[in-house]
Amino acid sequence: MTARHYSPLDQLLINLDQGVRTVFGRPQVTERPNPAKELPDTEMEDREREHTARLMRINHTGEVCAQALYQGQALTAKLPEVRSKMDRAAKEENDHLDWCESRIGQLGGRKSLLNPLFYAGSFAIGALAGAAGDKWSLGFVAETEHQVESHLEDHLEQVPEEDRRTRAILEQMKEDEMGHASMALAAGGAELPDPIKLAMQLTSKVMTKSVYWFRVECQPGRSG
Ligand SMILES: [Fe+2]
Ligand SMILES: [Fe+2]
């Protein structure tokens, strides 16, 4: 089967559509159910509930960024052998986005006002990484996923043991991110230079701190 070729205008419209869906709408998810779906909700103190909702807001914005990175990269990277795996990984990021949004709503929290800004920035970074060549682009995916995994571990330490819904989502996300990192490394991802890793860590620190405090109303009625 021959791959379909899109004009630059088609690509621009496709990317705009994906960006708007990611930030404001319902992105395309996989067949997997929300891991928290069958679990009972938990009584929590207001302070704990609010803190957990804010952590999930950070994770939600992280998934907005992940989606933007994958889309930006898809625009510029070649990656012929792993294209379908990358597409699957991007869809799994949409699952994460959906699960986080659903949990934020259940916890009475709100999504971040800054998501469009982070989407745009991450899209540009993804496109740059893709243009740098496949081994760097895949190395960038692997490093991003490792950093996300360590965030998730940190959040799992902060979320109360009895909050099984949040924990189930975070555990599944962590497993998925590890899978994405392994896929990128197995496909030839290179180890990034330390200054780039450091810059990525600093960027994510700015994101997590700002998103913890700034917010906008969450749309109700998501799955889960
Ligand atoms: Fe993710
Ligand atoms: Fe991932």
Side-chain angles (χ1 to χ4, degrees), residues 81-214:
E81 291 88 26
V82 280
R83 172 66 70 194
S84 64
K85 286 185 184 153
M86 295 283 278
D87 288 348
R88 172 73 191 185
K91 260 198 197 155
E92 289 181 359
E93 305 300 0
N94 278 342
D95 286 348
H96 301 170
L97 196 69
D98 188 48
W99 303 339
C100 286
E101 180 167 343
S102 163
R103 191 62 188 137
I104 292 171
Q106 291 166 3
L107 290 164
R110 290 156 172 83
K111 292 192 296 181
S112 174
L113 179 65
L114 303 172
N115 284 343
L117 200 69
F118 283 114
Y119 187 93
S122 302
F123 185 90
I125 292 170
L128 273 177
D134 287 356
K135 74 170 185 171
W136 297 116
S137 154
L138 288 164
F140 184 76
V141 170
E143 178 59 23
T144 304
E145 300 289 4
H146 283 143
Q147 291 190 14
V148 174
E149 189 195 327
S150 73
H151 269 288
L152 292 171
E153 260 163 31
D154 179 48
H155 287 185
L156 276 163
E157 278 172 27
Q158 297 181 52
V159 170
E161 280 299 326
E162 60 274 17
D163 182 358
R164 291 172 57 203
R165 283 191 177 179
T166 303
R167 299 188 72 83
I169 291 171
L170 295 182
E171 294 281 7
Q172 184 60 53
M173 282 168 60
K174 196 176 123 190
E175 194 182 316
D176 292 345
E177 313 304 13
M178 285 160 68
H180 299 161
S182 307
M183 176 269 291
L185 289 176
E191 170 105 18
L192 298 186
D194 284 344
I196 303 261
K197 286 188 191 174
L198 194 64
M200 288 166 73
Q201 278 165 4
L202 288 174
T203 311
S204 99
K205 206 162 245 167
V206 170
M207 184 278 267
T208 53
K209 293 282 176 217
S210 54
V211 167
Y212 190 86
W213 296 109
F214 290 97

